[in-house]
C-alpha cells in the first residue's frame, strides 16, 4: 500500500483506478484501510478541482416545495402573505432575514443557499 497525495490529474486517475480495484475490500483489512484513505484523498481532490456551486435561492425554494408537495399557499404560510410568496417566487422581492430563518427552519433549506444574491 503506497498512498501519496493526489496532486495531478494523473494521480487522481490512478487513485480512481485503485479505488475500483479494492472497492469491495473488507473494513479493517489492509485494503479496507487503503480504500478509506484513498476515498478521503479523492474526495478532497474533487472538492478542490471540481467545486459544485450552490443553487439559486429561489430555485432551491421551488425544488424543496416540489419535494414536499407544497404550493404557493403553503409558502405563504411560512413567509407571510400569498402576494409576498408570489413576489419571492418571481424574484420581484428579496428574501428578508426573517424569511430566511423561517425557510431554513420550516423547509430545512441551508442558510448558505438562501443568503446568496439573485
Amino acid at each position: 500500500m503506497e498512498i501519496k497525495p493526489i496532486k495531478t490529474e494523473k494521480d487522481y486517475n490512478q487513485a480512481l483506478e485503485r479505488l475500483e480495484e479494492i472497492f469491495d475490500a473488507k473494513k479493517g483489512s489492509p485494503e479496507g484501510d487503503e480504500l478509506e484513505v484513498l476515498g478521503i484523498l479523492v474526495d478532497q481532490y474533487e472538492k478542490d478541482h471540481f467545486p459544485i456551486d450552490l443553487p439559486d435561492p429561489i430555485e432551491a425554494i421551488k425544488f424543496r416545495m416540489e419535494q414536499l408537495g407544497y404550493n404557493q399557499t403553503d409558502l405563504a404560510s411560512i413567509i407571510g402573505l400569498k402576494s409576498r410568496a408570489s413576489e419571492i417566487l418571481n424574484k420581484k422581492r428579496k428574501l428578508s432575514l426573517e424569511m430566511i430563518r423561517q425557510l431554513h427552519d420550516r423547509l430545512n433549506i441551508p442558510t448558505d443557499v438562501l443568503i446568496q444574491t439573485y
Side-chain angles (χ1 to χ4, degrees):
M1 168 168 73
E2 183 188 334
I3 296 180
K4 59 182 184 165
I6 300 174
K7 296 179 180 177
T8 66
E9 190 170 341
K10 181 181 177 187
D11 293 340
Y12 173 69
N13 289 325
Q14 288 175 340
L16 289 178
E17 286 176 21
R18 181 62 182 154
L19 277 175
E20 210 171 292
E21 291 171 13
I22 60 173
F23 187 76
D24 294 323
K26 292 186 178 183
K27 193 171 186 163
S29 69
E31 284 187 335
D33 291 345
E34 181 183 4
L35 176 67
E36 187 175 346
V37 173
L38 269 180
I40 292 168
L41 292 172
V42 166
D43 182 54
Q44 188 59 51
Y45 182 87
E46 289 174 346
K47 284 179 183 175
D48 293 344
H49 292 84
F50 311 115
I52 298 173
D53 292 333
L54 294 174
D56 175 83
I58 304 307
E59 293 305 315
I61 293 168
K62 290 178 181 177
F63 178 74
R64 189 67 178 132
M65 287 173 60
E66 183 179 322
Q67 284 183 319
L68 297 171
Y70 281 16
N71 58 32
Q72 192 170 314
T73 305
D74 298 317
L75 181 61
S77 72
I78 296 170
I79 62 171
L81 305 170
K82 190 171 182 178
S83 61
R84 187 170 296 145
S86 175
E87 290 172 345
I88 295 293
L89 292 175
N90 290 308
K91 297 184 178 183
K92 293 181 180 179
R93 178 185 289 262
K94 299 290 183 193
L95 293 168
S96 70
L97 183 57
E98 186 55 32
M99 289 178 199
I100 290 170
R101 286 182 181 134
Q102 290 298 322
L103 291 164
H104 171 71
D105 291 343
R106 305 264 304 273
L107 299 183
N108 202 25
I109 300 172
T111 54
D112 290 356
V113 171
L114 295 170
I115 63 172
Q116 296 179 99
T117 58
Y118 57 92

